[in-house]
Amino acid sequence: MSEPTGKYSITMPRDIAEAAKARSGPSGLSAYVAAAVARQIERDNLNELIQVAEAEHGPVTDDEIQALRDQLHQARDNQAAGGANAA
């Protein structure tokens, strides 16, 4: 079942509106804008979570971020190698 909807009037720069219309496809501009706003809300929520975590544990260092990126790349490489071996 779909979420209830409401009708809203928003103002945005014409070039952004036209670009969004061109990319919205068959779902239409309203669905495209709703998805963009939902993504922004997710980002805002994540930023709030990061602020709370950093206030409690301190900021994450660039070295820690790079180490986690390296782990992610290694896991993806291992997964791809495992998938290639299974074929």
Side-chain angles (χ1 to χ4, degrees):
M1 184 180 280
S2 294
E3 293 282 329
T5 62
K7 188 169 183 153
Y8 303 92
S9 175
I10 62 168
T11 303
M12 71 174 74
R14 189 179 313 268
D15 60 332
I16 293 173
E18 292 303 319
K21 279 171 123 177
R23 293 178 178 266
S24 64
S27 62
L29 182 60
S30 291
Y32 189 86
V33 171
V37 171
R39 279 191 306 276
Q40 185 62 48
I41 290 169
E42 288 175 355
R43 287 178 177 174
D44 293 345
N45 289 340
L46 286 171
N47 283 333
E48 290 171 9
L49 182 61
I50 289 168
Q51 289 175 351
V52 168
E54 286 186 339
E56 185 174 336
H57 303 286
V60 179
T61 67
D62 290 341
D63 289 341
E64 290 170 321
I65 292 170
Q66 188 58 51
L68 291 171
R69 284 185 176 144
D70 292 344
Q71 287 178 8
L72 178 60
H73 290 302
Q74 184 64 43
R76 286 181 178 162
D77 290 346
N78 291 343
Q79 185 178 28
N85 292 336

